[in-house]
C-alpha cells in the first residue's frame, strides 16, 4: 500500500544473548506478516510479541537454552506511533524539549 511505515526495536538479553538475538531476528517478521498490520497495528504488535515468545520458548526447550530478554519496539504508521514492550525496558519520547510519558514500566509491585 502507499502508507509509510517504520519499525525500530531494542532488546536487552538476560542470561545470554540467545533470546535477544532471536527476537531481533523474528519479531519484525511476525509483525509484518500479521493479518492486522494494516487495520490494527497495535494488535499486530501485541500478537507478534506473544508469537515470538512462543516460538523462542519452543526453540529454548528443544535446544536447552536458558536466556531471556526484555524489549521495546516502535512502529510508526503514517503519522501515528505505536509502542510495545516486554519486561522492564522503557521508551521515552521527547517532544519540543519535553519528556512525554508513553508507558508505565513493568515492576514487580505492579499488578
Amino acid at each position: 500500500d502507499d502508507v509509510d511505515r517504520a519499525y525500530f526495536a531494542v532488546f536487552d538479553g538476560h542470561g545470554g544473548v540467545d533470546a535477544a538475538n532471536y527476537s531481533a531476528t523474528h519479531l519484525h517478521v511476525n509483525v509484518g506478516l500479521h493479518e492486522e498490520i494494516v487495520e490494527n497495528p497495535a494488535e499486530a504488535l501485541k500478537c507478534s510479541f506473544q508469537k515470538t515468545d512462543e516460538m523462542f520458548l519452543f526453540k529454548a526447550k528443544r535446544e536447552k537454552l536458558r536466556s531471556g530478554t526484555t524489549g521495546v519496539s516502535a512502529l510508526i504508521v503514517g503519522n501515528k506511533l505505536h509502542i510495545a514492550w516486554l519486561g522492564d525496558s522503557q521508551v521515552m519520547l521527547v517532544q519540543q524539549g519535553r519528556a512525554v510519558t508513553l508507558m508505565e514500566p513493568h515492576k514487580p509491585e505492579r499488578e
Side-chain angles (χ1 to χ4, degrees):
D1 60 23
D2 61 350
V3 176
D4 289 330
R5 290 181 184 82
Y7 166 89
F8 306 89
V10 176
F11 301 96
D12 179 18
H14 293 264
V17 298
D18 296 318
N21 287 341
Y22 188 89
S23 298
T25 302
H26 292 88
L27 180 62
H28 68 284
V29 175
N30 290 335
V31 171
L33 294 175
H34 195 277
E35 62 189 19
E36 291 292 319
I37 186 63
V38 173
E39 296 298 321
N40 192 346
E43 182 68 14
L45 276 171
K46 179 181 176 182
C47 291
S48 296
F49 262 81
Q50 291 171 331
K51 179 177 181 175
T52 305
D53 184 50
E54 291 167 4
M55 291 167 56
F56 180 73
L57 287 174
F58 180 76
K59 175 184 174 68
K61 184 175 181 180
R62 187 180 67 238
E63 298 178 18
K64 297 182 177 25
L65 303 174
R66 305 220 7 108
S67 68
T69 191
T70 67
V72 63
S73 67
L75 177 64
I76 302 169
V77 181
N79 65 354
K80 294 193 178 186
L81 173 65
H82 302 273
I83 302 291
W85 73 96
L86 176 68
D88 62 356
S89 288
Q90 298 182 43
V91 64
M92 176 185 287
L93 174 68
V94 178
Q95 186 176 34
Q96 296 179 346
R98 295 188 182 159
V100 178
T101 301
L102 297 177
M103 56 176 281
E104 293 294 326
H106 292 213
K107 296 291 180 188
E109 62 272 9
R110 271 189 60 209
E111 289 188 27

